[in-house]
């Protein structure tokens, strides 16, 4: 079953230095969807280990299975427009509407 449009939860504003968790979920897809987050139209990298991610100054953890995007401490650099895409290899992938977070 192809995924439906996911529901994204993105805070509209956040204080610098706080923990922010965004979530993305759709329930129709079978097999279960994987989720990919985008910021300003660019796919966010999935953080694996510490080596390459540390060099790229990545301050978040993205879980493609659960659809969560967790920022340990947000900075002004994290301000932007976020959306997520659900795909399971069947039918078209589905995106939620873009939501802006101001830090």
């Amino acid at each position: 079953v192809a995924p439906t449009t996911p529901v994204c939860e993105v805070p509209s504003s956040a204080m610098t230095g706080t923990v922010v968790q965004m979530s993305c979920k759709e329930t129709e897809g079978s097999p279960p969807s994987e989720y990919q987050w985008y910021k300003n139209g660019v796919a966010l990298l999935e953080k694996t280990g510490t080596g390459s991610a540390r060099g790229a100054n990545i301050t978040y953890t993205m879980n493609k299975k659960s659809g969560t995007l967790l920022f340990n401490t947000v900075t002004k650099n994290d301000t932007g427009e976020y959306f997520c895409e659900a795909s399971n290899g069947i039918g078209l992938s589905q995106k939620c509407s873009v939501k802006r977070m101001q830090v």
Side-chain angles (χ1 to χ4, degrees):
V1 180
T4 56
T5 303
V7 175
C8 295
E9 292 186 15
V10 176
S12 57
S13 63
M15 294 290 292
T16 304
T18 59
V19 174
V20 171
Q21 180 168 314
M22 302 181 186
S23 65
C24 177
K25 194 74 182 158
E26 70 81 31
T27 53
E28 300 294 311
S30 180
S33 291
E34 288 208 338
Y35 302 97
Q36 171 67 53
W37 278 95
Y38 293 80
K39 177 188 173 188
N40 300 332
V42 179
L44 293 174
L45 298 168
E46 188 168 23
K47 187 175 181 179
T48 51
T50 51
S52 58
R54 189 181 294 152
N57 198 18
I58 292 176
T59 59
Y60 59 81
T61 307
M62 178 171 61
N63 186 322
K64 292 194 172 190
K65 294 270 189 274
S66 67
T68 56
L69 181 63
L70 178 69
F71 293 86
N72 293 325
T73 53
V74 291
T75 67
K76 285 188 166 51
N77 293 340
D78 295 317
T79 294
E81 299 189 332
Y82 292 84
F83 70 88
C84 120
E85 180 179 63
S87 59
N88 65 355
I90 298 169
L92 295 171
S93 59
Q94 298 287 336
K95 301 180 177 74
C96 64
S97 56
V98 175
K99 297 189 179 178
R100 182 168 177 81
M101 178 175 73
Q102 182 73 42
V103 180

